[in-house]
Amino acid sequence: HTTPYLLELFEQEGVKATFFLIGNQVEKNEELVLEISRNGHSIGNHTYSHQFLPILSSRKMEKEILVTNKRIKEITGVYPVLFRPPFG
């Protein structure tokens, strides 16, 4: 993983960053998500499964975002306020 290395580097340099997280990866890496949050970095939503949103139904798009927000909140105690769609 690159993220632990980045967290260490950012800590050494006194830098805060925003990490846009994919929900299915959040579920696999809960401790890392918690470490990102505890180190004072911002966490944004990057959907649940990194799909190209324009091809999804409104319901599926909403689920991609809401499920990820919920999981991040359950782990960190904070709902993300930032969202970055996959592929720009």
Side-chain angles (χ1 to χ4, degrees), residues 4-56:
Y5 169 76
L6 289 174
L7 288 173
E8 184 178 320
L9 179 63
F10 292 159
E11 182 68 25
Q12 291 171 2
E13 298 297 324
V15 173
K16 298 299 178 198
T18 301
F19 290 81
F20 286 91
L21 304 181
I22 299 169
N24 62 21
Q25 295 302 310
V26 166
E27 292 182 350
K28 295 176 186 176
N29 298 283
E30 290 184 16
E31 285 299 318
L32 188 56
V33 173
L34 194 52
E35 184 178 353
I36 291 168
S37 179
R38 284 183 178 157
N39 287 349
H41 300 286
S42 298
I43 295 176
N45 184 330
H46 197 45
T47 71
Y48 186 81
S49 61
H50 205 266
Q51 294 188 50
F52 186 58
L53 296 180
I55 66 169
L56 301 180

Side-chain angles (χ1 to χ4, degrees), residues 20-23 45-68 82-88:
F20 286 91
L21 304 181
I22 299 169
N45 184 330
H46 197 45
T47 71
Y48 186 81
S49 61
H50 205 266
Q51 294 188 50
F52 186 58
L53 296 180
I55 66 169
L56 301 180
S57 68
S58 295
R59 184 172 179 211
K60 178 67 175 162
M61 249 191 283
E62 182 178 36
K63 185 176 179 184
E64 286 277 322
I65 295 166
L66 295 179
V67 169
T68 302
L82 300 173
F83 173 73
R84 183 168 65 97
F87 312 103

